[in-house]
Amino acid sequence: VDNSVDIVFTSPPYYDCEYYGDEPEQAGCDGKSYEDFLDVMRMTMKECYRILKPGKFIIWNVADFRDDGKFYSYGFDSYAILQEVGFTPHDIVMFEYGGFQKIFTEDKIKYKRTGKVHEYLFILKKPLEGESHIMKDNIKKGSLDFI
């Protein structure tokens, strides 16, 4: 039902690096491109926007990742799409899940890269009726400052 949910808190699937089951509707393992995967996430975000009540919040829990040596900025890709579908930034929380700094030390040295030991909680709001959408308003003004 439209505008019926008080909060959305999700840790959505990851692209091509987690096993979610053999069902064809599993978004993260269908063999498509990362861009196709983000399109599925975009549709999911639009659905979250549709069901969330105005003035309420979505919390999107993700991390950046590597797959077959390629780096994916999944966190900030998600953050941009959340704003694209209409959510307004409210806060970002980064938390370290710790203990992994010493794991794969040889890989860090060999590949000259750090381990990913944090995740993001992107907290965004569905604007109230008549409330401006910060991202869209600032793009029109030529500024991306979030105040």
PDB file of all heavy atoms in Angstrom, residues 91-114:
ATOM      1  N   ASP A  91      21.634  11.485   6.996  1.00  0.00           N
ATOM      2  CA  ASP A  91      22.851  11.191   7.745  1.00  0.00           C
ATOM      3  C   ASP A  91      23.568  10.007   7.101  1.00  0.00           C
ATOM      4  O   ASP A  91      22.968   9.249   6.340  1.00  0.00           O
ATOM      5  CB  ASP A  91      22.521  10.843   9.202  1.00  0.00           C
ATOM      6  CG  ASP A  91      23.670  11.079  10.155  1.00  0.00           C
ATOM      7  OD1 ASP A  91      24.800  11.402   9.704  1.00  0.00           O
ATOM      8  OD2 ASP A  91      23.464  10.935  11.373  1.00  0.00           O
ATOM      9  N   ILE A  92      24.845   9.868   7.398  1.00  0.00           N
ATOM     10  CA  ILE A  92      25.628   8.703   7.010  1.00  0.00           C
ATOM     11  C   ILE A  92      26.369   8.224   8.241  1.00  0.00           C
ATOM     12  O   ILE A  92      27.041   9.016   8.911  1.00  0.00           O
ATOM     13  CB  ILE A  92      26.657   9.019   5.900  1.00  0.00           C
ATOM     14  CG1 ILE A  92      25.964   9.485   4.624  1.00  0.00           C
ATOM     15  CG2 ILE A  92      27.531   7.790   5.621  1.00  0.00           C
ATOM     16  CD1 ILE A  92      26.933   9.946   3.534  1.00  0.00           C
ATOM     17  N   VAL A  93      26.244   6.953   8.527  1.00  0.00           N
ATOM     18  CA  VAL A  93      26.980   6.343   9.631  1.00  0.00           C
ATOM     19  C   VAL A  93      27.903   5.306   9.019  1.00  0.00           C
ATOM     20  O   VAL A  93      27.477   4.486   8.208  1.00  0.00           O
ATOM     21  CB  VAL A  93      26.028   5.665  10.644  1.00  0.00           C
ATOM     22  CG1 VAL A  93      26.818   4.961  11.742  1.00  0.00           C
ATOM     23  CG2 VAL A  93      25.048   6.670  11.220  1.00  0.00           C
ATOM     24  N   MET A  94      29.176   5.374   9.363  1.00  0.00           N
ATOM     25  CA  MET A  94      30.132   4.355   8.939  1.00  0.00           C
ATOM     26  C   MET A  94      30.517   3.577  10.182  1.00  0.00           C
ATOM     27  O   MET A  94      30.831   4.167  11.206  1.00  0.00           O
ATOM     28  CB  MET A  94      31.386   4.980   8.326  1.00  0.00           C
ATOM     29  CG  MET A  94      31.143   5.600   6.981  1.00  0.00           C
ATOM     30  SD  MET A  94      32.638   6.339   6.279  1.00  0.00           S
ATOM     31  CE  MET A  94      33.749   4.970   6.214  1.00  0.00           C
ATOM     32  N   PHE A  95      30.445   2.263  10.091  1.00  0.00           N
ATOM     33  CA  PHE A  95      30.898   1.484  11.231  1.00  0.00           C
ATOM     34  C   PHE A  95      31.894   0.433  10.778  1.00  0.00           C
ATOM     35  O   PHE A  95      31.814  -0.097   9.679  1.00  0.00           O
ATOM     36  CB  PHE A  95      29.728   0.874  12.005  1.00  0.00           C
ATOM     37  CG  PHE A  95      28.920  -0.133  11.253  1.00  0.00           C
ATOM     38  CD1 PHE A  95      29.223  -1.482  11.333  1.00  0.00           C
ATOM     39  CD2 PHE A  95      27.851   0.260  10.463  1.00  0.00           C
ATOM     40  CE1 PHE A  95      28.475  -2.417  10.638  1.00  0.00           C
ATOM     41  CE2 PHE A  95      27.096  -0.665   9.769  1.00  0.00           C
ATOM     42  CZ  PHE A  95      27.412  -2.006   9.855  1.00  0.00           C
ATOM     43  N   GLU A  96      32.849   0.206  11.657  1.00  0.00           N
ATOM     44  CA  GLU A  96      33.899  -0.761  11.382  1.00  0.00           C
ATOM     45  C   GLU A  96      33.515  -2.076  12.035  1.00  0.00           C
ATOM     46  O   GLU A  96      33.153  -2.108  13.200  1.00  0.00           O
ATOM     47  CB  GLU A  96      35.226  -0.256  11.964  1.00  0.00           C
ATOM     48  CG  GLU A  96      36.395  -1.132  11.639  1.00  0.00           C
ATOM     49  CD  GLU A  96      37.703  -0.556  12.157  1.00  0.00           C
ATOM     50  OE1 GLU A  96      37.859   0.676  12.124  1.00  0.00           O
ATOM     51  OE2 GLU A  96      38.540  -1.345  12.596  1.00  0.00           O
ATOM     52  N   TYR A  97      33.550  -3.131  11.246  1.00  0.00           N
ATOM     53  CA  TYR A  97      33.217  -4.421  11.824  1.00  0.00           C
ATOM     54  C   TYR A  97      34.432  -5.151  12.338  1.00  0.00           C
ATOM     55  O   TYR A  97      34.340  -6.273  12.776  1.00  0.00           O
ATOM     56  CB  TYR A  97      32.359  -5.297  10.891  1.00  0.00           C
ATOM     57  CG  TYR A  97      32.712  -5.304   9.441  1.00  0.00           C
ATOM     58  CD1 TYR A  97      33.713  -6.109   8.945  1.00  0.00           C
ATOM     59  CD2 TYR A  97      32.003  -4.509   8.553  1.00  0.00           C
ATOM     60  CE1 TYR A  97      34.004  -6.115   7.591  1.00  0.00           C
ATOM     61  CE2 TYR A  97      32.278  -4.523   7.202  1.00  0.00           C
ATOM     62  CZ  TYR A  97      33.283  -5.328   6.732  1.00  0.00           C
ATOM     63  OH  TYR A  97      33.559  -5.340   5.401  1.00  0.00           O
ATOM     64  N   GLY A  98      35.580  -4.525  12.295  1.00  0.00           N
ATOM     65  CA  GLY A  98      36.799  -4.893  12.988  1.00  0.00           C
ATOM     66  C   GLY A  98      37.254  -6.336  12.879  1.00  0.00           C
ATOM     67  O   GLY A  98      36.563  -7.209  12.424  1.00  0.00           O
ATOM     68  N   GLY A  99      38.483  -6.548  13.325  1.00  0.00           N
ATOM     69  CA  GLY A  99      39.052  -7.868  13.368  1.00  0.00           C
ATOM     70  C   GLY A  99      39.621  -8.365  12.051  1.00  0.00           C
ATOM     71  O   GLY A  99      40.344  -9.344  12.026  1.00  0.00           O
ATOM     72  N   PHE A 100      39.303  -7.709  10.956  1.00  0.00           N
ATOM     73  CA  PHE A 100      39.740  -8.191   9.654  1.00  0.00           C
ATOM     74  C   PHE A 100      41.022  -7.498   9.174  1.00  0.00           C
ATOM     75  O   PHE A 100      41.548  -7.855   8.139  1.00  0.00           O
ATOM     76  CB  PHE A 100      38.649  -7.976   8.602  1.00  0.00           C
ATOM     77  CG  PHE A 100      37.442  -8.828   8.839  1.00  0.00           C
ATOM     78  CD1 PHE A 100      36.260  -8.257   9.268  1.00  0.00           C
ATOM     79  CD2 PHE A 100      37.506 -10.193   8.646  1.00  0.00           C
ATOM     80  CE1 PHE A 100      35.153  -9.043   9.494  1.00  0.00           C
ATOM     81  CE2 PHE A 100      36.400 -10.988   8.874  1.00  0.00           C
ATOM     82  CZ  PHE A 100      35.213 -10.413   9.295  1.00  0.00           C
ATOM     83  N   GLN A 101      41.506  -6.518   9.925  1.00  0.00           N
ATOM     84  CA  GLN A 101      42.675  -5.778   9.460  1.00  0.00           C
ATOM     85  C   GLN A 101      43.883  -6.685   9.246  1.00  0.00           C
ATOM     86  O   GLN A 101      44.677  -6.454   8.356  1.00  0.00           O
ATOM     87  CB  GLN A 101      43.066  -4.675  10.459  1.00  0.00           C
ATOM     88  CG  GLN A 101      42.076  -3.565  10.559  1.00  0.00           C
ATOM     89  CD  GLN A 101      41.025  -3.829  11.618  1.00  0.00           C
ATOM     90  OE1 GLN A 101      40.772  -4.950  12.015  1.00  0.00           O
ATOM     91  NE2 GLN A 101      40.386  -2.778  12.081  1.00  0.00           N
ATOM     92  N   LYS A 102      44.041  -7.716  10.069  1.00  0.00           N
ATOM     93  CA  LYS A 102      45.217  -8.571   9.983  1.00  0.00           C
ATOM     94  C   LYS A 102      45.029  -9.731   9.007  1.00  0.00           C
ATOM     95  O   LYS A 102      45.977 -10.399   8.646  1.00  0.00           O
ATOM     96  CB  LYS A 102      45.549  -9.104  11.375  1.00  0.00           C
ATOM     97  CG  LYS A 102      45.949  -7.989  12.323  1.00  0.00           C
ATOM     98  CD  LYS A 102      46.230  -8.493  13.708  1.00  0.00           C
ATOM     99  CE  LYS A 102      46.526  -7.307  14.616  1.00  0.00           C
ATOM    100  NZ  LYS A 102      46.679  -7.696  15.994  1.00  0.00           N
ATOM    101  N   ILE A 103      43.796  -9.964   8.590  1.00  0.00           N
ATOM    102  CA  ILE A 103      43.517 -11.050   7.663  1.00  0.00           C
ATOM    103  C   ILE A 103      43.939 -10.612   6.253  1.00  0.00           C
ATOM    104  O   ILE A 103      43.780  -9.467   5.868  1.00  0.00           O
ATOM    105  CB  ILE A 103      42.025 -11.417   7.690  1.00  0.00           C
ATOM    106  CG1 ILE A 103      41.656 -11.915   9.090  1.00  0.00           C
ATOM    107  CG2 ILE A 103      41.685 -12.459   6.641  1.00  0.00           C
ATOM    108  CD1 ILE A 103      40.180 -12.194   9.258  1.00  0.00           C
ATOM    109  N   PHE A 104      44.446 -11.532   5.504  1.00  0.00           N
ATOM    110  CA  PHE A 104      44.844 -11.302   4.115  1.00  0.00           C
ATOM    111  C   PHE A 104      45.946 -10.242   3.989  1.00  0.00           C
ATOM    112  O   PHE A 104      46.009  -9.517   3.015  1.00  0.00           O
ATOM    113  CB  PHE A 104      43.649 -10.906   3.238  1.00  0.00           C
ATOM    114  CG  PHE A 104      42.483 -11.850   3.343  1.00  0.00           C
ATOM    115  CD1 PHE A 104      41.275 -11.415   3.848  1.00  0.00           C
ATOM    116  CD2 PHE A 104      42.618 -13.171   2.949  1.00  0.00           C
ATOM    117  CE1 PHE A 104      40.204 -12.287   3.949  1.00  0.00           C
ATOM    118  CE2 PHE A 104      41.547 -14.045   3.050  1.00  0.00           C
ATOM    119  CZ  PHE A 104      40.333 -13.610   3.546  1.00  0.00           C
ATOM    120  N   THR A 105      46.833 -10.174   4.953  1.00  0.00           N
ATOM    121  CA  THR A 105      47.931  -9.211   4.914  1.00  0.00           C
ATOM    122  C   THR A 105      48.779  -9.392   3.660  1.00  0.00           C
ATOM    123  O   THR A 105      49.185  -8.415   3.035  1.00  0.00           O
ATOM    124  CB  THR A 105      48.814  -9.340   6.173  1.00  0.00           C
ATOM    125  OG1 THR A 105      47.987  -9.133   7.312  1.00  0.00           O
ATOM    126  CG2 THR A 105      49.940  -8.331   6.162  1.00  0.00           C
ATOM    127  N   GLU A 106      49.029 -10.632   3.277  1.00  0.00           N
ATOM    128  CA  GLU A 106      49.825 -10.881   2.064  1.00  0.00           C
ATOM    129  C   GLU A 106      49.130 -10.309   0.833  1.00  0.00           C
ATOM    130  O   GLU A 106      49.787  -9.741  -0.046  1.00  0.00           O
ATOM    131  CB  GLU A 106      50.068 -12.374   1.885  1.00  0.00           C
ATOM    132  CG  GLU A 106      51.043 -12.937   2.908  1.00  0.00           C
ATOM    133  CD  GLU A 106      51.264 -14.428   2.735  1.00  0.00           C
ATOM    134  OE1 GLU A 106      50.955 -14.968   1.644  1.00  0.00           O
ATOM    135  OE2 GLU A 106      51.743 -15.054   3.682  1.00  0.00           O
ATOM    136  N   ASP A 107      47.805 -10.448   0.747  1.00  0.00           N
ATOM    137  CA  ASP A 107      47.065  -9.879  -0.387  1.00  0.00           C
ATOM    138  C   ASP A 107      47.161  -8.357  -0.392  1.00  0.00           C
ATOM    139  O   ASP A 107      47.284  -7.748  -1.450  1.00  0.00           O
ATOM    140  CB  ASP A 107      45.587 -10.284  -0.350  1.00  0.00           C
ATOM    141  CG  ASP A 107      45.365 -11.699  -0.845  1.00  0.00           C
ATOM    142  OD1 ASP A 107      46.312 -12.291  -1.399  1.00  0.00           O
ATOM    143  OD2 ASP A 107      44.246 -12.205  -0.675  1.00  0.00           O
ATOM    144  N   LYS A 108      47.116  -7.743   0.786  1.00  0.00           N
ATOM    145  CA  LYS A 108      47.233  -6.283   0.860  1.00  0.00           C
ATOM    146  C   LYS A 108      48.574  -5.832   0.305  1.00  0.00           C
ATOM    147  O   LYS A 108      48.648  -4.867  -0.450  1.00  0.00           O
ATOM    148  CB  LYS A 108      47.085  -5.803   2.305  1.00  0.00           C
ATOM    149  CG  LYS A 108      45.706  -5.934   2.869  1.00  0.00           C
ATOM    150  CD  LYS A 108      45.711  -5.438   4.302  1.00  0.00           C
ATOM    151  CE  LYS A 108      44.438  -5.755   5.018  1.00  0.00           C
ATOM    152  NZ  LYS A 108      44.465  -5.297   6.409  1.00  0.00           N
ATOM    153  N   ILE A 109      49.621  -6.526   0.680  1.00  0.00           N
ATOM    154  CA  ILE A 109      50.961  -6.172   0.208  1.00  0.00           C
ATOM    155  C   ILE A 109      51.087  -6.469  -1.295  1.00  0.00           C
ATOM    156  O   ILE A 109      51.548  -5.632  -2.060  1.00  0.00           O
ATOM    157  CB  ILE A 109      52.040  -6.926   1.020  1.00  0.00           C
ATOM    158  CG1 ILE A 109      52.015  -6.434   2.474  1.00  0.00           C
ATOM    159  CG2 ILE A 109      53.420  -6.755   0.392  1.00  0.00           C
ATOM    160  CD1 ILE A 109      52.811  -7.287   3.426  1.00  0.00           C
ATOM    161  N   LYS A 110      50.651  -7.628  -1.692  1.00  0.00           N
ATOM    162  CA  LYS A 110      50.771  -8.050  -3.091  1.00  0.00           C
ATOM    163  C   LYS A 110      49.992  -7.131  -4.031  1.00  0.00           C
ATOM    164  O   LYS A 110      50.493  -6.728  -5.079  1.00  0.00           O
ATOM    165  CB  LYS A 110      50.274  -9.484  -3.240  1.00  0.00           C
ATOM    166  CG  LYS A 110      50.358 -10.027  -4.650  1.00  0.00           C
ATOM    167  CD  LYS A 110      49.865 -11.475  -4.696  1.00  0.00           C
ATOM    168  CE  LYS A 110      49.876 -12.013  -6.107  1.00  0.00           C
ATOM    169  NZ  LYS A 110      49.390 -13.409  -6.145  1.00  0.00           N
ATOM    170  N   TYR A 111      48.763  -6.792  -3.676  1.00  0.00           N
ATOM    171  CA  TYR A 111      47.895  -6.020  -4.574  1.00  0.00           C
ATOM    172  C   TYR A 111      47.867  -4.527  -4.276  1.00  0.00           C
ATOM    173  O   TYR A 111      47.200  -3.768  -4.954  1.00  0.00           O
ATOM    174  CB  TYR A 111      46.473  -6.579  -4.546  1.00  0.00           C
ATOM    175  CG  TYR A 111      46.397  -7.999  -5.040  1.00  0.00           C
ATOM    176  CD1 TYR A 111      46.084  -9.027  -4.169  1.00  0.00           C
ATOM    177  CD2 TYR A 111      46.665  -8.305  -6.369  1.00  0.00           C
ATOM    178  CE1 TYR A 111      46.022 -10.342  -4.615  1.00  0.00           C
ATOM    179  CE2 TYR A 111      46.610  -9.615  -6.825  1.00  0.00           C
ATOM    180  CZ  TYR A 111      46.284 -10.629  -5.931  1.00  0.00           C
ATOM    181  OH  TYR A 111      46.231 -11.920  -6.381  1.00  0.00           O
ATOM    182  N   LYS A 112      48.578  -4.101  -3.224  1.00  0.00           N
ATOM    183  CA  LYS A 112      48.669  -2.673  -2.864  1.00  0.00           C
ATOM    184  C   LYS A 112      47.290  -2.045  -2.643  1.00  0.00           C
ATOM    185  O   LYS A 112      46.941  -1.039  -3.231  1.00  0.00           O
ATOM    186  CB  LYS A 112      49.411  -1.874  -3.949  1.00  0.00           C
ATOM    187  CG  LYS A 112      50.722  -2.449  -4.375  1.00  0.00           C
ATOM    188  CD  LYS A 112      51.783  -2.274  -3.310  1.00  0.00           C
ATOM    189  CE  LYS A 112      53.150  -2.634  -3.818  1.00  0.00           C
ATOM    190  NZ  LYS A 112      53.630  -3.936  -3.422  1.00  0.00           N
ATOM    191  N   ARG A 113      46.497  -2.686  -1.790  1.00  0.00           N
ATOM    192  CA  ARG A 113      45.179  -2.152  -1.482  1.00  0.00           C
ATOM    193  C   ARG A 113      44.805  -2.493  -0.048  1.00  0.00           C
ATOM    194  O   ARG A 113      45.313  -3.440   0.533  1.00  0.00           O
ATOM    195  CB  ARG A 113      44.130  -2.683  -2.450  1.00  0.00           C
ATOM    196  CG  ARG A 113      43.977  -4.173  -2.408  1.00  0.00           C
ATOM    197  CD  ARG A 113      42.973  -4.625  -3.450  1.00  0.00           C
ATOM    198  NE  ARG A 113      42.833  -6.062  -3.415  1.00  0.00           N
ATOM    199  CZ  ARG A 113      42.605  -6.804  -4.472  1.00  0.00           C
ATOM    200  NH1 ARG A 113      42.492  -6.242  -5.655  1.00  0.00           N
ATOM    201  NH2 ARG A 113      42.453  -8.098  -4.376  1.00  0.00           N
ATOM    202  N   THR A 114      43.934  -1.696   0.475  1.00  0.00           N
ATOM    203  CA  THR A 114      43.490  -1.913   1.844  1.00  0.00           C
ATOM    204  C   THR A 114      42.323  -2.888   1.880  1.00  0.00           C
ATOM    205  O   THR A 114      41.624  -3.080   0.883  1.00  0.00           O
ATOM    206  CB  THR A 114      43.011  -0.589   2.479  1.00  0.00           C
ATOM    207  OG1 THR A 114      41.908  -0.091   1.716  1.00  0.00           O
ATOM    208  CG2 THR A 114      44.120   0.432   2.508  1.00  0.00           C
TER     209      THR A 114
END
